């Protein structure tokens, strides 16, 4: 058995029938010239079935009983017909039929007796494209790792015909090798180990001063949202069931970058401002817009170029939904995010994780009966941005035409907005609780309106 770190076990402990803890992705491919979607589906199915050397993450399953939250065990093999499913959409094969299929499947639990992932090859779109929907338990990968795995099985070469499955272990072996490190003496290795332990202990001892620093920032700077400060109650922050709605759309990445350059803000600030404007309009549609600003929990990746698994912290950011003017909202968002990031930069890695754990703390209560009453409501919505490659990507000549993330709503957090940018498109995936968030697709119209407003207002100062 393999030890399971707490950053992975927390997603198993927190899972209930009404609160699935898997992430997902929807990809759209345009078949290469002369190829139909059905032929591309045959090719993908055949190549994927031939990829029998699995990366470790796709063989792991919880060890069972009490150890299921403490350790992984590895399956001896993969039941391909169970994990890889092939379906055809009902006619007329519109995008709404595809999103309905993803919505229905994203609310069902993954089987813990098997490695916790599924791939759905989806035919029948009337526009001739082929769709892939993947769901993987969050205890296995986070969004950054999932996107890296997808990108490894794609290429920028439209003539390349070596396409394989994203779980293929050979993909990792084909990566450009790093220069070998010079051999260290045994004394040097021991010294490194002792130094690492000392640094970790120093980080732990430094958590209290770090907490004091965070508290001082909260008192001195009105733009910084310290942990434990209550957020307003909204229709987003209620108990939910397992049924899901999924809405997705993309915008040209350059359009969003141009808006960021116009106002001298970051791309992430523009994305948050789009979400702010859309949430303000959506809540107003339902007579549910609070007088106070909504607060977003924004995951911040701590991955380096090679790390995988789950390695994130989190900040809290004002969305300024209480301000009617788009310029004022963007200005407030910029101040809030820059202040939070400055605080994060001043902490050591373990302290950054500790701050993120405190900001994420209310989610730990969501599976418990009455958990919403036990925990403080520190944020209203999770907004996560996972940037990918700018280049146009292909699989065996089939062009990737869309990549939309599907994430995890939980009790008290009925909507999750996840964004990824791949191949010149920035895609928004909005996953919501079906019963609690009607007409979720209206968020897409509101996102476009919010971006158009940002593009037309005078540059902010």
């Amino acid at each position: 058995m393999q030890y399971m770190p707490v950053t992975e076990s927390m997603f198993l402990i927190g899972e209930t029938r009404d609160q699935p803890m898997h992430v997902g992705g929807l990809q759209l491919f345009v078949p290469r010239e002369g190829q139909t979607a059905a032929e591309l589906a045959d090719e993908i199915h055949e190549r994927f079935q031939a990829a029998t050397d699995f990366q470790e993450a796709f063989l792991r399953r919880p060890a069972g009983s009490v150890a299921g939250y403490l350790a992984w065990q590895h399956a001896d093999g993969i039941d391909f017909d169970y994990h890889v499913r092939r379906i055809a959409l009902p006619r007329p094969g519109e995008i709404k039929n595809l999103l309905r299929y993803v919505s229905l499947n994203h609310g069902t639990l993954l089987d813990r007796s098997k490695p916790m992932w599924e791939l759905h090859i989806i035919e029948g779109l009337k526009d001739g494209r082929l769709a892939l929907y993947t769901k993987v338990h969050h205890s296995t990968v986070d969004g950054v790792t999932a996107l890296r795995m997808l990108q490894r099985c794609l290429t920028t070469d439209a003539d390349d015909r070596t396409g394989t499955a994203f779980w293929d272990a050979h993909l990792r072996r084909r990566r450009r090798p790093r220069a070998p490190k010079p051999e260290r003496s045994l004394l040097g290795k021991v010294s490194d180990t002792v130094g690492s332990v000392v640094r970790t202990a120093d980080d732990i001892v430094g958590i209290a001063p770090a907490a004091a620093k965070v508290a001082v920032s909260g008192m001195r700077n009105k733009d910084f949202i310290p942990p434990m400060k209550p957020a307003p109650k909204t229709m987003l922050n209620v108990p939910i069931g397992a049924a899901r709605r999924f809405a997705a759309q993309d915008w040209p990445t350059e359009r969003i970058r141009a808006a960021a350059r116009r106002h001298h803000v970051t791309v992430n600030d523009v994305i948050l401002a789009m979400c702010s404007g859309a949430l303000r309009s959506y809540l107003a549609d339902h007579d549910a817009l609070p007088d106070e600003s909504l607060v977003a929990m924004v995951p911040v990746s701590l991955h380096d170029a090679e790390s995988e698994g789950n390695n994130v912290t989190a900040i809290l950011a004002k969305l300024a939904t209480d301000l009617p003017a788009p310029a004022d909202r963007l200005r407030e968002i910029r101040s809030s995010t820059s202040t939070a990031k400055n605080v994060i930069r001043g902490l050591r890695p373990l302290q950054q994780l500790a701050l993120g754990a405190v900001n994420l703390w209310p989610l730990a209560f969501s599976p418990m009966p009455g958990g919403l009453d036990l925990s403080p409501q520190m944020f209203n919505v999770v907004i996560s941005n996972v940037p990918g490659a700018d280049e146009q990507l292909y699989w065996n000549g089939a062009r990737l035409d869309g990549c939309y993330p599907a994430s995890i709503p939980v009790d008290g957090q009925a909507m999750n907005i996840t964004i990824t940018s791949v191949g010149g498109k920035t895609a928004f995936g909005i996953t919501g609780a079906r019963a609690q968030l009607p007409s979720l697709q209206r968020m897409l119209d509101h996102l476009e309106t919010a971006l158009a407003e940002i593009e037309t207002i005078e540059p902010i100062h």
Side-chain angles (χ1 to χ4, degrees):
M1 291 193 297
Q2 175 187 354
Y3 167 70
M4 184 186 301
V6 67
T7 51
E8 297 173 359
S9 64
M10 61 183 284
F11 294 105
L12 292 167
I13 295 170
E15 185 170 64
T16 67
R17 176 63 192 87
D18 288 340
Q19 190 168 286
M21 284 289 181
H22 51 256
V23 292
L26 174 66
Q27 291 84 42
L28 293 172
F29 287 89
V30 176
R32 61 181 179 266
E33 187 175 354
Q35 184 183 49
T36 67
E39 290 169 340
L40 176 58
D42 288 339
E43 187 174 9
I44 289 175
H45 192 267
E46 182 178 315
R47 288 289 185 95
F48 281 25
Q49 192 168 23
T52 56
D53 189 3
F54 286 83
Q55 294 181 42
E56 180 191 2
F58 294 92
L59 293 172
R60 295 191 307 184
R61 63 187 179 194
S65 66
V66 176
Y69 299 137
L70 301 175
W72 293 109
Q73 61 183 8
H74 291 81
D76 295 329
I78 293 294
D79 182 349
F80 187 84
D81 291 335
Y82 174 83
H83 287 278
V84 180
R85 307 171 186 193
R86 214 172 149 175
I87 67 102
L89 294 173
R91 294 180 180 176
E94 296 178 345
I95 290 296
K96 67 180 181 181
N97 301 125
L98 175 61
L99 296 180
R100 185 178 297 123
Y101 178 84
V102 173
S103 298
L104 293 174
N105 280 273
H106 203 63
T108 59
L109 292 171
L110 289 163
D111 187 348
R112 292 193 183 193
S113 69
K114 299 177 174 64
M116 293 183 294
W117 60 273
E118 295 174 3
L119 170 67
H120 301 238
I121 303 172
I122 307 169
E123 303 173 58
L125 279 169
K126 69 177 184 180
D127 61 16
R129 292 182 293 179
L130 182 76
L132 299 182
Y133 164 61
T134 310
K135 54 194 279 191
V136 185
H137 204 275
H138 207 323
S139 60
T140 300
V141 298
D142 62 16
V144 172
T145 301
L147 188 59
R148 284 180 179 177
M149 288 179 171
L150 170 66
Q151 290 182 155
R152 279 194 202 127
C153 77
L154 304 175
T155 176
T156 57
D157 183 1
D159 296 322
D160 185 282
R161 297 294 183 268
T162 62
T164 185
F166 54 82
W167 60 71
D168 193 339
H170 294 283
L171 292 171
R172 297 203 65 173
R173 298 178 193 137
R174 286 192 310 193
R175 288 191 300 174
R176 182 183 300 171
R178 293 185 295 171
K181 294 181 179 180
E183 183 62 28
R184 302 293 306 279
S185 67
L186 177 60
L187 180 61
K189 293 176 182 177
V190 171
S191 176
D192 283 351
T193 302
V194 172
S196 176
V197 171
V198 170
R199 285 191 297 272
T200 300
D202 192 38
D203 280 351
I204 293 172
V205 171
I207 286 177
K213 177 180 179 179
V214 170
V216 169
S217 297
M219 289 185 291
R220 289 182 176 176
N221 196 321
K222 66 179 181 61
D223 295 318
F224 180 71
I225 303 177
M228 311 307 292
K229 181 178 179 179
K233 290 286 187 180
T234 74
M235 65 182 290
L236 307 177
N237 311 117
V238 294
I240 65 172
R244 299 287 178 258
R245 294 184 191 272
F246 179 64
Q249 188 168 318
D250 55 47
W251 284 262
T253 299
E254 181 52 36
R255 184 180 171 191
I256 295 174
R257 286 176 178 163
R261 290 193 297 268
R262 173 183 174 83
H263 295 287
H264 303 285
V265 299
T266 68
V267 166
N268 207 49
D269 289 338
V270 173
I271 286 172
L272 288 176
M274 290 174 65
C275 295
S276 169
L279 286 165
R280 177 181 166 86
S281 297
Y282 179 80
L283 293 176
D285 288 344
H286 297 280
D287 296 320
L289 180 65
D291 294 333
E292 298 175 62
S293 170
L294 297 188
V295 175
M297 188 274 279
V298 182
V300 176
S301 173
L302 300 178
H303 283 281
D304 58 26
E306 301 295 331
S307 64
E308 294 189 348
N310 288 279
N311 193 20
V312 295
T313 186
I315 63 172
L316 301 178
K318 292 180 183 178
L319 291 180
T321 50
D322 55 328
L323 302 177
D328 292 339
R329 289 200 298 271
L330 182 57
R331 193 176 292 110
E332 183 86 353
I333 287 167
R334 179 184 61 183
S335 297
S336 182
T337 56
S338 62
T339 301
K341 289 174 185 176
N342 286 337
V343 171
I344 286 284
R345 291 188 190 104
L347 303 177
R348 295 175 181 175
L350 187 61
Q351 296 163 355
Q352 292 173 343
L353 288 171
L355 176 60
V358 174
N359 286 335
L360 288 165
W361 181 54
L363 299 183
F365 287 85
S366 56
M368 299 172 53
L372 292 183
D373 298 325
L374 295 173
S375 64
Q377 187 67 55
M378 290 158 43
F379 51 88
N380 304 103
V381 63
V382 178
I383 302 176
S384 181
N385 183 18
V386 185
D390 275 341
E391 301 92 345
Q392 181 60 63
L393 298 175
Y394 301 86
W395 186 92
N396 265 21
R399 175 168 57 87
L400 179 66
D401 197 44
C403 184
Y404 309 93
S407 199
I408 307 174
V410 296
D411 258 356
Q413 299 291 326
M415 182 188 295
N416 182 296
I417 304 175
T418 304
I419 303 99
T420 188
S421 53
V422 177
K425 296 181 178 181
T426 296
F428 286 67
I430 306 175
T431 313
R434 189 175 191 87
Q436 287 71 33
L437 299 181
S439 304
L440 188 64
Q441 69 279 2
R442 292 288 303 278
M443 280 286 295
L444 304 177
D445 296 330
H446 294 321
L447 283 167
E448 168 59 30
T449 299
L451 178 56
E453 289 176 339
I454 294 168
E455 291 172 319
T456 55
I457 58 176
E458 290 296 317
I460 65 171
H461 301 289

